[in-house]
Amino acid sequence: MAENIFITDDFLLHSPAARTLYHDYAKAQPIFDYHCHLSPKDIAEDRQFENLTQIWIEGDHYKYRAMRANGVDEKFITGDATPYDKFLKWAETVPYTLRNPLYHWTHLELKNYFGITTLLDSDSAQAIYNEATALLQKPEYSVRNILRKMNVKVVGTTDDPTDDLRFHKKIKEDNFEIKVLPSFRPDKATEIEKGQDFLDWIQKLAKTVGYSITDFSNLIKVLQERHDFFHEMGCRISDHGHSNFYGEDYTETEVHIIFAKAMKGESVSVLEINKYKSAVLFELALMNKKKSWAQQFHVGAIRNNNAKMLQDIGPDQGFDSLGDLNMADNMSKFFGRLSQCDGLTNTIVYNLNPRDSEMFASMAANFNDGKVVGKMQYGAAWWFLDQKDGMEKQLNVLSNFGLLSRFVGMVTDSRSFLSFPRHEYFRRILCNVLGDEIEKGELPDDMKLIGSMVENICYKNAVAYFEIE
């Protein structure tokens, strides 16, 4: 294949200072991916993917959205087309993703994993598919070796409280040198508005522990039991994904009545839903504090907006969007209530609507306590903001409202084993922002000082913050 080298060694690095920061300080730092959605089963079994479509396109809702926008029939996205035909439709779409982050990610991933520097389009698709698929059959492209290849040191998966974590147990028993740790994601315990789906999950949770869940106190007891189990299995981080923060006032009696109504299949009001969610999240946060876990709040998505496609192909297929709910009051009440009883642990908040960036950063900073370095973190650019413009804005907001030097860095937030170049993408952008300001005289031309900050943001801050290495 003819080369068209686009991703050069100095990609996104537009000044001598930026290039020095990246190549001398950022590039060699290991990856601490404390939040992702990788499959523990695939890691435990050291999966070998059959073809490029399987590892690169299946389940990738970013690509799904781009293909739909390009007029690709659903058959070639989530349907029953052959793996190559799906890949070809993606290859045909790629030239139309110019200025979308997918264009950068696509060619970073082809280069970093497969050494392919040809631009992907319909003409190059067959050769690229054949070359990458052939490489995927080699032992060095098993899942565990991919993690080694990308210099990953820690992976934090996302796991439901009902999970028995048997795959994490196998990974640990195999003495795999890369830490693969579960994260506690108890969102379904809060989703009282989902009626039968909520009841089904409660029954699944009861089956997991071997006894019935009869009232709200019993539910919290069971969640504590699962929290304890996760801790024994190495979990040190919880994660919570919600459309809003919940800080509604409630009494213990009210929450017991609301839970009882839901368990009987009765409808619950919006106010009752908010009271219930506030209570459950408060109790979970206290558990996190008691165990000295860090907790993450990914807030602001409206999910599964396309009702027809939800019915046709199910949830989480690329039909989510930014929300525009007002969150400041609830955020203040929730963290304030925890702070008042010394129940607030290390916390990372991520917003999805860029309108809320300054509010999130300023609100989080209200609850630093002077005892823990960087306790309240304004998290990395997330989901729809996970692109060059979004990352630059996140760095600027964090710098203006907090301490960039204490930032715990980037995550992939991905289900794909080919997503680790997102760390490189972030690091290049970070170094370019800092390098540009050095060149302008807005930061000192002191590579030891700025370089040390870069190393910390890329890896070392996360090691200290999560106390996992």
Side-chain angles (χ1 to χ4, degrees), residues 383-438:
W383 199 346
F384 291 105
L385 305 184
D386 181 12
Q387 21 77 3
K388 182 174 179 289
D389 180 62
M391 290 182 194
E392 289 173 346
K393 287 181 178 177
Q394 188 270 346
L395 292 171
N396 289 331
V397 169
L398 176 53
S399 298
N400 288 332
F401 289 84
L403 300 178
L404 177 61
S405 298
R406 296 302 191 180
F407 180 38
V408 292
M410 195 58 190
V411 292
T412 62
D413 189 30
S414 175
R415 291 166 176 79
S416 173
F417 287 93
L418 298 189
S419 290
F420 287 103
R422 292 187 193 179
H423 283 266
E424 177 184 332
Y425 195 60
F426 164 78
R427 291 174 182 186
R428 288 177 179 273
I429 290 167
L430 169 68
C431 292
N432 192 61
V433 168
L434 297 172
D436 179 64
E437 293 184 356
I438 291 172

Side-chain angles (χ1 to χ4, degrees), residues 97-292:
T97 66
L98 285 165
R99 298 204 78 241
N100 183 292
L102 284 165
Y103 196 81
H104 285 167
W105 295 345
T106 292
H107 294 99
L108 267 173
E109 290 162 12
L110 286 173
K111 180 180 181 181
N112 287 8
Y113 289 94
F114 306 107
I116 294 172
T117 55
T118 307
L119 297 181
L120 178 58
D121 55 27
S122 57
D123 293 333
S124 63
Q126 182 77 68
I128 287 175
Y129 184 84
N130 290 344
E131 181 177 345
T133 296
L135 288 171
L136 287 168
Q137 311 315 304
K138 296 184 176 183
E140 56 263 38
Y141 282 86
S142 72
V143 158
R144 294 191 185 189
N145 282 325
I146 286 173
L147 295 176
R148 293 181 176 112
K149 177 182 178 68
M150 299 310 295
N151 197 21
V152 178
K153 296 299 182 185
V154 178
V155 172
T157 62
T158 304
D159 309 273
D160 189 88
T162 62
D163 198 308
D164 63 10
L165 303 182
R166 65 184 182 276
F167 297 115
H168 286 89
K169 183 179 180 182
K170 183 180 187 307
I171 294 166
K172 187 175 181 179
E173 288 174 346
D174 288 348
N175 292 316
F176 185 41
E177 70 275 14
I178 297 171
K179 286 188 179 294
V180 181
L181 302 176
S183 297
F184 195 63
R185 180 74 176 250
D187 291 354
K188 291 181 179 179
T190 71
E191 294 174 347
I192 196 170
E193 74 279 8
K194 291 192 174 180
Q196 190 59 50
D197 287 344
F198 175 73
L199 296 178
D200 291 344
W201 186 82
I202 292 293
Q203 291 304 312
K204 184 178 181 182
L205 182 63
K207 186 176 180 180
T208 301
V209 295
Y211 56 88
S212 298
I213 297 173
T214 56
D215 57 28
F216 182 75
S217 296
N218 202 220
L219 171 65
I220 299 305
K221 176 185 175 184
V222 171
L223 289 172
Q224 179 69 70
E225 187 173 320
R226 298 309 295 164
H227 198 276
D228 293 343
F229 170 68
F230 270 61
H231 189 83
E232 291 171 8
M233 294 297 293
C235 179
R236 296 296 182 269
I237 306 172
S238 73
D239 184 46
H240 309 270
H242 296 279
S243 60
N244 203 346
F245 274 94
Y246 297 94
E248 200 70 50
D249 292 330
Y250 61 85
T251 66
E252 186 175 331
T253 300
E254 284 179 315
V255 178
H256 277 269
I257 292 170
I258 294 165
F259 184 74
K261 285 176 66 176
M263 291 295 286
K264 290 186 286 187
E266 298 177 11
S267 63
V268 288
S269 69
V270 172
L271 179 59
E272 288 174 324
I273 291 167
N274 292 342
K275 286 177 180 286
Y276 173 80
K277 289 179 182 287
S278 299
V280 175
L281 287 169
F282 180 76
E283 294 295 335
L284 289 166
L286 294 180
M287 295 179 201
N288 295 335
K289 170 66 174 180
K290 187 175 180 180
K291 291 267 196 338
S292 297

Side-chain angles (χ1 to χ4, degrees), residues 9-175:
D9 286 346
D10 294 333
F11 176 61
L12 296 178
L13 304 171
H14 303 314
S15 68
R19 292 189 280 274
T20 297
L21 287 173
Y22 178 72
H23 292 297
D24 292 358
Y25 296 94
K27 184 177 180 179
Q29 292 302 309
I31 289 175
F32 193 123
D33 200 43
Y34 54 88
H35 174 69
C36 72
H37 299 272
L38 293 179
S39 165
K41 181 176 185 291
D42 288 347
I43 302 173
E45 296 176 351
D46 201 14
R47 181 179 179 183
Q48 200 93 33
F49 288 90
E50 297 173 10
N51 53 62
L52 185 54
T53 301
Q54 194 178 70
I55 192 173
W56 207 33
I57 298 177
E58 288 183 5
D60 189 339
H61 52 86
Y62 290 88
K63 293 186 177 75
Y64 290 178
R65 288 171 71 93
M67 293 166 77
R68 292 181 187 119
N70 201 44
V72 174
D73 189 273
E74 198 66 30
K75 172 182 178 180
F76 300 98
I77 302 173
T78 60
D80 60 359
T82 66
Y84 178 70
D85 285 343
K86 288 183 176 182
F87 177 80
L88 180 58
K89 290 298 183 183
W90 167 240
E92 292 172 355
T93 299
V94 167
Y96 297 96
T97 66
L98 285 165
R99 298 204 78 241
N100 183 292
L102 284 165
Y103 196 81
H104 285 167
W105 295 345
T106 292
H107 294 99
L108 267 173
E109 290 162 12
L110 286 173
K111 180 180 181 181
N112 287 8
Y113 289 94
F114 306 107
I116 294 172
T117 55
T118 307
L119 297 181
L120 178 58
D121 55 27
S122 57
D123 293 333
S124 63
Q126 182 77 68
I128 287 175
Y129 184 84
N130 290 344
E131 181 177 345
T133 296
L135 288 171
L136 287 168
Q137 311 315 304
K138 296 184 176 183
E140 56 263 38
Y141 282 86
S142 72
V143 158
R144 294 191 185 189
N145 282 325
I146 286 173
L147 295 176
R148 293 181 176 112
K149 177 182 178 68
M150 299 310 295
N151 197 21
V152 178
K153 296 299 182 185
V154 178
V155 172
T157 62
T158 304
D159 309 273
D160 189 88
T162 62
D163 198 308
D164 63 10
L165 303 182
R166 65 184 182 276
F167 297 115
H168 286 89
K169 183 179 180 182
K170 183 180 187 307
I171 294 166
K172 187 175 181 179
E173 288 174 346
D174 288 348
N175 292 316

